[in-house]
Amino acid sequence: VDTYIDATLSQARLIIVRCLGGLSYWSYGIEQLISLAREKSIKLVLLPGGADPDPDLTSQSSLPPETCERLRQYFANGGPANTSAFVTLCASLLDYPLEATPPQDFAPSALYWPGQAAPDLAAIKQHWQADAPVVAITFYRSLIEGGLTAPVDALITALTARGLNPLPIFISSLKDAASANCIAENLGAEPPSVILNATGFAVATFDGGDQPNPFTAFDCPVLQVVFSGTSEDAWRANAQGLPARDLAMNIVLPELDGRLMTRAVSFKADHERHAATECRTVTYKPVQDRIDYVADLATNWSALRHTPPAKRRIAIILANYPNRDGRIGNGVGYDTPAS
């Protein structure tokens, strides 16, 4: 802390800290920052790391409470527009002649389209092809907040190239009521042939205390897509492929909802540096051949859905144990005849 204050923070004109847990969780650092701000007349703002106000932190800031609260609200609401306005307000506090817009609500769930701010269904349908099957894409809201939508954009491009109409929706969680309502409203208006889901975990639980799955009403295949939290290099070097965290969150648990695993289509990259801020940047980099695989799979499932049942060719493949044929179709923990 002392080295960072001496080498970096002492050169600043404005310091903004988001402190998880409040004053007591970083008491020494905050004490030193307050001392530095007074000594060098640096503007200091102490904000909570969560979404709720923290009067104790605000009281130790050197700027007026209303300014601190406005800065806090930009973080609490989140999203690209609030991030831009936050930076603009910071510039105005440093005497740049700029006017920041007030904090804006950022929906927990909404439609998405690359390069468009808050598109509605009509705006998205302008990019669609007439009478083409709809493929929904659901992914986390945090990707919008962090500017990490490259894999989503790649899926949209790949699906469109295959004659499908993408319907991307960002959500907070499949268990979130507002997100479930957004899914129901938009997919109800444009029923999908296939759903590509890029969120982790599951709605179902092991103990049977399940809540409604927002995808169930649309009676279509839900393909699980993985935006991996590890790097591509680490994935390629790992004989197991994805690390345990990705396996649990994005493969094992989603199977409880009956989702069909596809593959990881993007990987986390955090080794690049942003020249203007000299900060490390984090991105999700799509891998094109894996994007193409998922888009092809969605195309095939969509074609199957629109094929009359009498013309579908269906195979049932059963595992068999080598010791005796009586174990055919057996799985550990399953009843063989019922399976």
Side-chain angles (χ1 to χ4, degrees):
V1 172
D2 293 333
T3 301
Y4 183 62
I5 288 175
D6 292 341
T8 303
L9 298 186
S10 63
Q11 312 302 314
R13 294 168 55 198
L14 169 65
I15 298 172
I16 299 176
V17 177
R18 296 188 75 199
C19 186
L20 287 167
L23 287 172
S24 62
Y25 277 71
W26 200 46
S27 56
Y28 177 78
I30 289 175
E31 290 171 2
Q32 297 307 305
L33 284 179
I34 292 172
S35 176
L36 174 72
R38 289 172 178 166
E39 177 186 348
K40 293 185 172 292
S41 299
I42 298 172
K43 296 176 179 178
L44 175 64
V45 178
L46 301 174
L47 302 176
D52 298 324
D54 188 328
D56 292 336
L57 284 171
T58 301
S59 68
Q60 300 300 315
S61 302
S62 65
L63 293 184
E66 57 270 19
T67 302
C68 297
E69 174 60 15
R70 186 171 176 181
L71 290 167
R72 185 197 67 80
Q73 288 182 12
Y74 286 129
F75 282 118
N77 285 287
N82 285 314
T83 300
S84 178
F86 168 83
V87 175
T88 302
L89 180 56
C90 289
S92 70
L93 293 173
L94 298 174
D95 302 324
Y96 287 86
L98 298 172
E99 183 67 29
T101 57
Q104 305 174 26
D105 288 336
F106 181 34
S109 179
L111 295 174
Y112 166 79
W113 196 265
Q116 293 190 15
D120 57 14
L121 187 56
I124 288 179
K125 291 175 69 173
Q126 292 180 2
H127 300 275
W128 283 5
Q129 304 160 68
D131 301 321
V134 174
V135 177
I137 306 172
T138 50
F139 61 98
Y140 281 124
R141 178 182 185 264
S142 59
L143 299 188
I144 302 287
E145 293 182 277
L148 303 173
T149 58
V152 179
D153 298 349
L155 285 171
I156 292 171
T157 299
L159 293 171
T160 302
R162 287 160 176 77
L164 301 171
N165 289 335
L167 182 55
I169 305 173
F170 68 81
I171 64 173
S172 298
S173 166
L174 291 176
K175 295 182 179 182
D176 173 64
S179 298
N181 290 337
C182 182
I183 291 171
E185 177 183 349
N186 289 288
L187 300 195
E190 293 291 341
S193 296
V194 181
I195 297 172
L196 300 182
N197 179 71
T199 70
F201 305 102
V203 177
T205 59
F206 288 104
D207 60 10
D210 302 348
Q211 62 185 84
N213 187 323
F215 297 145
T216 302
F218 307 103
D219 191 30
C220 68
V222 182
L223 307 185
Q224 181 71 15
V225 181
V226 179
F227 297 164
S228 176
T230 192
S231 71
E232 183 177 354
D233 290 341
W235 167 74
R236 292 190 182 278
N238 185 354
Q240 193 174 355
L242 295 173
R245 181 181 58 186
D246 273 340
L247 291 173
M249 291 171 50
N250 297 308
I251 297 178
V252 178
L253 288 173
E255 287 183 349
L256 291 173
D257 287 348
R259 300 180 216 157
L260 307 175
M261 178 59 195
T262 60
R263 57 181 55 185
V265 298
S266 76
F267 298 90
K268 194 173 183 179
D270 61 1
H271 57 275
E272 298 179 1
R273 297 190 72 82
H274 183 254
T277 61
E278 298 184 1
C279 289
R280 188 176 66 180
T281 62
V282 177
T283 59
Y284 280 147
K285 289 192 172 182
V287 180
Q288 192 58 50
D289 66 326
R290 303 178 76 79
I291 292 285
D292 290 338
Y293 174 90
V294 171
D296 288 341
L297 203 59
T299 303
N300 293 342
W301 276 104
S302 177
L304 180 64
R305 184 176 179 83
H306 294 284
T307 300
K311 294 185 178 181
R312 297 174 186 170
R313 298 167 58 195
I314 299 174
I316 299 177
I317 301 174
L318 298 177
N320 191 16
Y321 279 70
N323 56 341
R324 69 175 188 266
D325 288 340
R327 302 295 298 277
I328 189 168
N330 182 56
V332 175
Y334 292 101
D335 177 76
T336 300
S339 298

